[in-house]
Amino acid sequence: MASRAEAEHGVEIAIAPFLSVRTLVHNYEPMRLYLEKQLHQPVLFVTAPDYKIFHERMQKLQYRYLITVANAAYLAETESGYVPLFRPAIPTRPTLVVRKDASLQHLDELRGKHIALPDPLAVISMQARDMLREAGIDPDKDVQIRHVRNHGAAVNFVLSGESDAAIVSDRALSQMPAATREGVRVMQTWDKGAVPGVVYLASPRVPKAEVKRFSQALQDFVNSQEGKALMQRMGYGTLLPTTAADLKYLAPYGAALKEELARNK
């Protein structure tokens, strides 16, 4: 049972803005309702206008709990002291999509084309450049890159014809509205880029007893019928307990994010 102070303030969980607010709210509503019932206090999901503001708030420890992307999770743990709790069983990978009716079939056909990517601070945007280079395409010379707010916006640019292709997270793609998913075709997925789609973390300011209650409630949710259904819809399979040691291999992405943040001050 939550203490009186906890019940008054509720539980605030911040989600990185990798999809539109409407989509995030819709997707996570079953989790919110379950946690609210289990914790006997209000549960609120929040986000930020963009990755930069989200990260700035995270650095200031304004968020008690986080559901954030891989590179930001690494910095949250190593630089801000956030405690890793869970990660999805199924990782995410960069995926190149085109309109379903597009004639494009191979990556080398993208030369001279427009490619939409999520926010430049997103780990997928960083991986996209490596994905293109591996295919022999210079992302700074051979194609025209356009960064947009999030993964959903990148796919919508393809659907509207404003971009020839987009590189997004395959897990984010699976969480988009059906009309969006069905309008595009996956051309290629980069298996080398497999990382956790999101990581759940707790602020170092949250008492351990509260973190334990939250973690148990979240674990109970993913083992429930509605939780299993949500994890499958999101393409995560389930959530696995995770530690700082599990995130060490993300160090290069954390360093790249730190450099990008420094350039965007």
Side-chain angles (χ1 to χ4, degrees):
M1 177 69 70
S3 69
R4 178 174 296 179
E6 288 172 339
E8 288 175 353
H9 292 95
V11 177
E12 191 174 84
I13 306 168
I15 308 179
F18 56 89
L19 291 171
S20 71
V21 172
R22 177 179 294 183
T23 300
L24 290 174
V25 168
H26 173 77
N27 288 349
Y28 281 88
E29 182 65 0
M31 181 185 290
R32 188 192 71 77
L33 292 173
Y34 188 95
L35 293 178
E36 197 166 76
K37 183 178 179 180
Q38 291 293 105
L39 297 172
H40 305 283
Q41 59 188 127
V43 173
L44 177 67
F45 283 102
V46 300
T47 188
D50 56 43
Y51 281 71
K52 184 173 184 289
I53 293 174
F54 187 89
H55 190 78
E56 288 171 350
R57 292 173 180 172
M58 181 190 76
Q59 284 182 311
K60 295 175 182 176
L61 298 178
Q62 291 183 10
Y63 299 133
R64 291 177 74 78
Y65 295 100
L66 294 175
I67 302 176
T68 194
V69 295
N71 53 356
Y74 179 83
L75 287 191
E77 188 274 319
T78 57
E79 300 200 344
S80 299
Y82 277 86
V83 180
L85 302 176
F86 297 96
R87 72 185 189 281
I90 301 174
T92 192
R93 302 165 298 170
T95 297
L96 189 143
V97 299
V98 296
R99 280 176 61 104
K100 184 169 284 187
D101 58 0
S103 61
L104 296 168
Q105 296 294 329
H106 305 287
L107 259 66
D108 56 13
E109 296 176 59
L110 293 174
R111 297 177 190 279
K113 304 294 187 182
H114 291 77
I115 300 179
L117 300 180
D119 190 297
L121 300 181
V123 64
I124 294 295
S125 291
M126 298 173 179
Q127 294 177 319
R129 292 179 172 274
D130 292 333
M131 180 180 179
L132 291 170
R133 290 190 189 100
E134 189 176 272
I137 298 172
D138 187 331
D140 298 313
K141 296 179 181 179
D142 297 334
V143 293
Q144 297 183 53
I145 299 290
R146 179 170 187 171
H147 287 282
V148 295
R149 292 189 316 280
N150 54 53
H151 297 263
V155 174
N156 284 331
F157 265 71
V158 174
L159 294 176
S160 68
E162 295 175 78
S163 292
D164 299 292
I167 298 178
V168 297
S169 153
D170 61 350
R171 300 302 92 189
L173 180 63
S174 70
Q175 296 171 37
M176 295 176 197
T180 302
R181 298 194 311 269
E182 293 166 3
V184 295
R185 167 171 54 85
V186 173
M187 181 186 290
Q188 184 169 324
T189 297
W190 197 49
D191 292 332
K192 283 186 181 180
V195 297
V198 291
V199 180
Y200 290 65
L201 305 99
S203 166
R205 292 178 176 174
V206 181
K208 289 184 179 179
E210 182 186 333
V211 174
K212 184 177 180 179
R213 280 196 300 274
F214 175 82
S215 297
Q216 186 59 59
L218 190 55
Q219 189 71 69
D220 290 344
F221 171 71
V222 298
N223 289 329
S224 69
Q225 184 175 351
E226 59 263 52
K228 289 178 180 178
L230 179 61
M231 290 296 106
Q232 291 301 316
R233 287 199 303 273
M234 288 184 165
Y236 291 151
T238 188
L239 295 181
L240 302 176
T242 194
T243 65
D246 296 325
L247 304 183
K248 283 186 177 180
Y249 78 101
L250 298 172
Y253 294 120
L257 174 58
K258 192 170 182 178
E259 291 176 8
E260 190 67 32
L261 285 165
R263 282 195 292 269
N264 284 276
K265 280 187 176 179

